[in-house]
């Protein structure tokens, strides 16, 4: 007789973590709920929806093969789905690992679910809160160094491997010339994929795996082919390759198919074998044990209201280019949005320095931008999008996460990307009809927010530059034209 109902959300798809850690086919019924709210509640990118649903159905099939009674239920809401199962098999206790968002945690707890700790991260929520409580400012680098020591990764007797905590000075190269990028893995589609694709009316790419085996194959491909080159080109955007040496592992880390521990172990093994240099291994390790853990920790530490912050009073509605890549003549923005349209993913720098930079500089409402990013990206989830958008990308939190906004003009785009060649706009110009909109808007942003940022000593150089501008009145006029043109889809 079953004794427990184990509820597995679509981002806890791991046999050895969360509520399944102690699962037993003899006593536990496993429930997954494909809720209407999740599938059709928002204009989700179909590639994202396909990935999440197909991964969950594959996972359910794997558990059945292991002997579990698995109820994969379609219902209006998660709670309706759980009620349906209870009506079928009796009012058994429902157990779940702590959900990954405030909203779901509250809803399920109020309904009566019991929680086991969420072990999908390396840092528990109380442990992170302990670290944060001792900090004056929440600098990620400080958290990361503490993580290295705590987890014993690339440290000996408290000292960093190869004498440095961070090798960014060796990285941050622009896109290489005459470079052959290794091909990325293609993931063949099976019957479950085809069934989900047909239901959604979507023709999926072969970019994303929907099984544990596929996720492991992606990890293997990253370690064997890309890890060694990860560091140097981490921040570049190439015209001839959409992924460079990025791992493409975020979707699986976020839906549970992979755990950070196995990803880190694989990278450290490669380093121990001499298959990848320290500047790449350290840079990758920093993303996983540093950034990813820090973002999750900060989501829980900062609280539910943090999502609504709008300290720069940015109230512009979402620009049309975000929903249609053809609605701009800016080569960088159009190309990056086209990448999102194609595969629901672009790497960190296009997210930050192109999409978010545009939202920040145009004064786009941070919550409107957050909603769009949340709907479009394959790896999006509340815990990860909220601090990345509200804190890192749009500075809507007044600097709780970052000491200064990530605002950049066309010169940055020119240095780190190949988009400026053949673009209608000139990154070196800030006024005139062919001025790069990023360059114009960058100075205009500093000008508009002088009162907020002028006393920030990390921005002293930027304001010294602004104070030297002799064409500020003309620039303000051009900035208005640029904003209007972006709103009309003509810039
Ligand atoms: C505005 C903005 C929004 C973002 N939204 C998301 C999101 O919804 N989901 C998501 O997983 N990442 C998000 N990121 C972080 C990062 O861009 C992606 O994790 C990364 O591009 C995923 O591709 P990858 O797996 O090839 O990453 P790699 O470059 O190979 O990095 C390895 C891993 O590091 C982790 N990581 C690195 N930076 C971050 C970060 N800032 N936050 C969380 N994890 C990080 C990811 O798990 C990633 O898989 C966002 C960043 C920005 C600037």
């Amino acid at each position: 007789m079953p004794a427990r109902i184990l509820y597995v959300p679509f981002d806890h798809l791991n046999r050895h973590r969360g509520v399944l850690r102690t699962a037993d086919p003899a006593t536990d019924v496993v429930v997954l709920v494909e809720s209407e709210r999740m599938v059709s509640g928002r204009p989700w990118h179909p590639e994202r929806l396909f990935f999440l649903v197909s991964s969950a159905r594959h996972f359910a099939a794997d558990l059945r093969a292991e002997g579990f009674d698995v109820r994969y239920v379609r219902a209006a809401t998660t709670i309706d789905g759980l009620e349906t199962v209870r009506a079928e098999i009796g009012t058994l206790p429902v157990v779940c690992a702590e959900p990954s968002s405030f909203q779901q945690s509250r809803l399920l707890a109020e309904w009566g679910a019991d929680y086991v700790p969420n072990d999908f991260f390396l840092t528990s929520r109380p442990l992170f809160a302990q670290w944060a409580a001792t900090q004056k400012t929440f600098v990620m680098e400080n958290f990361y160094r503490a993580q290295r020591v705590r987890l014993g990764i690339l440290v000996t007797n408290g000292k960093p491997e190869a004498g440095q905590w961070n090798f960014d000075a060796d990285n941050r190269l622009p896109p290489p010339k005459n470079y052959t990028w290794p091909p990325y893995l293609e993931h063949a589609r099976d019957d479950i994929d085809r069934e989900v694709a047909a239901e959604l009316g979507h023709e999926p790419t072969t970019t994303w795996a929907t099984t544990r085996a596929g996720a492991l194959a992606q990890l293997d491909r990253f370690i064997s082919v890309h890890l060694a080159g990860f560091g140097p080109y981490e921040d570049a955007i190439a015209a001839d390759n959409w992924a460079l040496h990025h791992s493409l592992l975020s979707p699986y880390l976020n839906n549970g198919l992979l755990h950070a521990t196995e990803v880190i172990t694989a990278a450290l093994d490669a380093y121990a074998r001499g298959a990848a240099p320290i500047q790449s291994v350290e840079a990758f390790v920093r993303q996983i044990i540093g950034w990813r853990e820090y973002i999750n920790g900060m989501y829980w530490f900062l609280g539910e209201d943090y999502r609504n912050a709008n300290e720069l009073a940015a109230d512009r509605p979402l620009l049309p280019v975000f929903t249609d890549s053809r609605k701009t003549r800016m080569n960088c923005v159009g190309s990056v949005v086209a990448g999102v349209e194609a595969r629901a993913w672009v790497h960190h720098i296009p997210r930050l320095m192109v999409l978010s930079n545009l939202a920040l500089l145009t004064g786009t409402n941070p919550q409107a931008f957050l909603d769009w990013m949340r709907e479009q990206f394959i790896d999006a989830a509340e815990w990860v999008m909220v601090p990345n958008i509200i804190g890192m990308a749009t500075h809507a939190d007044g600097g709780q996460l970052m000491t200064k906004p990530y605002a950049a003009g066309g010169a940055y785009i020119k240095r780190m990307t190949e988009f400026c060649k053949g673009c209608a706009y000139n990154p070196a110009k800030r006024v005139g009809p062919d001025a790069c909109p990023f360059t114009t808007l960058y100075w205009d942003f500093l000008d508009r927010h002088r009162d907020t940022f002028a006393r920030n000593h990390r921005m002293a150089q930027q304001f010294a530059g602004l104070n030297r501008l002799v064409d500020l009145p003309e620039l303000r006029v051009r900035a208005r034209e640029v904003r209007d043109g972006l709103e009309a889809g003509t810039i």
Side-chain angles (χ1 to χ4, degrees):
M1 281 296 287
R4 300 190 301 174
I5 292 172
L6 307 184
Y7 169 56
V8 177
F10 281 24
D11 57 358
H12 289 183
L13 307 183
N14 194 306
R15 174 64 184 92
H16 306 290
R17 299 277 167 175
V19 77
L20 292 176
R21 182 189 272 274
T22 59
D24 180 349
T27 52
D28 299 324
V29 174
V30 178
V31 178
L32 288 94
V33 183
E34 189 180 304
S35 74
E36 270 167 40
R37 217 163 133 252
M38 196 197 103
V39 176
S40 51
R42 288 168 66 164
W44 301 112
H45 194 306
E47 187 79 356
R48 169 190 157 82
L49 211 47
F50 165 78
F51 164 72
L52 292 175
V53 172
S54 191
S55 298
R57 290 199 200 170
H58 279 98
F59 188 70
D62 288 350
L63 290 177
R64 277 191 193 111
E66 201 189 319
F68 278 100
D69 176 355
V70 180
R71 311 289 169 108
Y72 186 99
V73 191
R74 290 172 179 188
T77 65
T78 300
I79 288 178
D80 288 347
L82 290 167
E83 302 268 17
T84 306
V85 176
R86 269 188 167 171
E88 284 167 14
I89 64 172
T91 312
L92 301 177
V94 173
V95 191
C96 170
E98 287 163 327
S100 63
S101 74
F102 284 108
Q103 194 187 0
Q104 211 192 8
S105 295
R106 203 181 44 248
L107 285 176
L108 281 170
E110 280 169 10
W111 177 75
D114 295 325
Y115 292 151
V116 298
N118 180 314
D119 56 0
F120 290 86
F121 292 86
L122 302 169
T123 320
S124 71
R125 294 170 198 174
L127 191 63
F128 187 89
Q130 257 177 38
W131 172 80
T134 63
Q135 306 296 304
K136 276 207 201 97
T137 54
F138 307 112
V139 177
M140 199 297 289
E141 186 68 24
N142 296 339
F143 169 73
Y144 165 61
R145 291 182 190 185
Q147 286 282 81
R148 290 262 299 269
V149 174
R150 178 176 76 85
L151 299 167
I153 291 176
L154 298 176
V155 279
T156 312
N157 300 327
K159 297 269 185 296
E161 177 75 12
Q164 280 169 237
W165 291 105
N166 184 316
F167 291 83
D168 264 352
D170 299 338
N171 292 335
R172 299 198 165 145
L173 298 183
K177 302 225 182 324
N178 306 319
Y179 189 79
T180 307
W181 297 100
Y184 257 91
L185 204 55
E186 306 248 348
H187 297 279
R189 298 298 167 208
D190 64 8
D191 286 346
I192 296 179
D193 288 326
R194 281 188 284 276
E195 177 189 274
V196 175
E199 279 173 30
L200 296 174
H202 172 59
E203 180 85 44
T205 68
T206 51
T207 307
W208 308 108
T210 51
T211 60
R212 161 88 177 148
L216 283 172
Q218 185 69 39
L219 172 59
D220 190 51
R221 173 65 68 102
F222 169 66
I223 297 292
S224 57
V225 177
H226 292 285
L227 175 63
F230 177 85
Y233 303 121
E234 191 187 356
D235 284 0
I237 306 180
D240 59 344
N241 190 283
W242 56 272
L244 296 91
H245 288 306
H246 289 275
S247 68
L248 304 185
L249 293 175
S250 54
Y252 319 117
L253 284 163
N254 294 357
N255 82 347
L257 289 178
L258 291 180
H259 193 271
T261 305
E262 58 196 333
V263 170
I264 287 297
T265 303
L268 295 176
D269 283 354
Y271 179 61
R273 289 196 310 274
I278 186 68
Q279 63 265 41
S280 283
V281 175
E282 185 282 316
F284 183 70
V285 162
R286 179 158 18 106
Q287 307 310 312
I288 305 284
I289 71 166
W291 277 111
R292 184 168 191 273
E293 298 286 317
Y294 170 83
I295 289 289
N296 181 57
M298 289 304 283
Y299 172 79
W300 291 98
F301 181 71
L302 292 166
E304 194 165 2
D305 275 354
Y306 179 83
R307 186 188 208 287
N308 304 317
N310 186 2
E311 290 289 317
L312 295 178
D315 56 6
R316 185 174 304 278
L318 196 71
L319 294 169
V321 64
F322 286 114
T323 45
D324 183 349
S325 59
R326 295 163 303 179
K327 297 237 162 104
T328 184
R329 294 171 64 218
M330 295 172 73
N331 198 15
C332 53
V333 176
S335 306
V336 168
V337 175
V340 178
E341 287 168 351
R343 48 185 85 79
W345 183 94
V346 289
H347 77 74
H348 189 71
I349 299 301
R351 291 185 205 203
L352 187 62
M353 302 314 290
V354 178
L355 300 173
S356 306
N357 196 25
L358 185 70
L360 173 73
L361 299 185
T362 52
T364 296
N365 177 261
Q367 283 70 35
F369 181 59
L370 169 62
D371 284 349
W372 176 76
M373 292 281 287
R374 181 89 176 71
E375 285 153 11
Q376 295 305 308
F377 277 82
I378 193 98
D379 53 14
E382 197 69 2
W383 66 266
V384 59
M385 271 295 171
V386 168
N388 272 306
I389 299 287
I390 301 299
M392 188 181 325
T394 64
H395 212 78
D397 64 349
Q400 290 187 71
L401 231 66
M402 301 290 140
T403 48
K404 66 174 194 166
Y406 273 102
Y412 177 90
I413 308 284
K414 181 162 186 269
R415 188 167 68 251
M416 296 308 289
T417 83
E418 293 166 341
F419 291 132
C420 298
K421 275 181 231 144
C423 180
Y425 301 107
N426 181 348
K429 292 185 73 174
R430 59 182 172 267
V431 291
D434 62 341
C436 170
F438 271 133
T439 308
T440 310
L441 292 174
Y442 168 73
W443 292 117
D444 173 71
F445 173 81
L446 293 183
D447 183 40
R448 284 190 295 118
H449 294 291
R450 212 183 264 270
D451 289 349
T452 311
F453 297 122
R455 280 188 307 277
N456 181 333
H457 69 274
R458 292 202 61 213
M459 296 179 75
Q461 233 183 342
Q462 286 165 282
F463 278 94
L466 179 71
N467 292 335
R468 280 196 298 272
L469 296 190
V470 289
D471 49 7
L472 213 44
E474 211 181 331
L475 182 121
R476 288 177 186 141
V477 173
R478 177 64 188 157
R480 221 168 299 129
E481 283 168 15
V482 168
R483 285 193 297 266
D484 291 348
L486 283 165
E487 264 185 10
T490 54
I491 285 265

